[in-house]
Amino acid sequence: MKGPGGVLSFSVPLPVKAGLVSWHVEHFGLMGGSSLPDSFTLDWTLLAVVIAVAVIAGALLFSYLYRAYLRWLAWWRQRAGRIGEQQAAKLLKREGYAVIKAQPPARMVMRVDGAPVNIHVRADYLVQRGGKTYVAEVKTGERAPRPTNGDTRRQLLEYSLIYRADGVLLVDMAAQKIHRVEFEFSQ
């Protein structure tokens, strides 16, 4: 029904006049007195604005909390990676590898449409054993330590080409195992 000024509104009967609702009316001076009216009128336009504001506020809160969760997740993964790398050095030494350098930088030049682009990479370790030098990559988690995982495989191939070491090692911290990875190319 149309209320004052042509605004769409309706009336809702209020049968409860005691208890908590009555207490709020009396203590906070709601509706101008200590007794409840028999009904109240709701303005649909105001209701729509209140709902829209609530939805926007909820979306902003969700967005903030989701971004905070993603930051926490990234921090947690980095922390797990650092701990895994520290434990990997011990595992490599236990298996007879001598750690030459942690986080050894390497560089290559890639040409894109003839223009040189410098690519910088940093493996986890450069190690030696039996007179041979290996580049070692440490992986934690469930999927990443698998040499057949696409991202891991590409990373190991890149290290193999850039570092030109005698071999590539994949250190699986979940299984406490070192995999020697070799690449063969068919014609």
Side-chain angles (χ1 to χ4, degrees), residues 2 18 25 28 38 58 68 111 113 119 135 160 180:
K2 296 236 179 189
V25 169
F28 295 107
D38 291 335
R111 295 200 177 273
D113 297 327
I119 305 295
V135 60
S160 173
R180 183 167 178 207

Side-chain angles (χ1 to χ4, degrees), residues 5 37 40 49-51 66-67 90 92 116 119 158 165:
F40 72 95
V49 169
V50 168
I51 290 173
Y66 183 69
R67 285 192 315 263
K90 294 174 186 174
L92 285 162
I119 305 295
E158 180 179 67

Side-chain angles (χ1 to χ4, degrees), residues 91 137 139 141 145-146 170-179:
L91 176 62
E137 179 62 19
K139 294 293 183 187
R146 292 193 314 236
L170 177 60
V171 183
D172 179 351
M173 290 310 298
Q176 293 285 301
K177 188 169 182 177
I178 300 171
H179 303 281

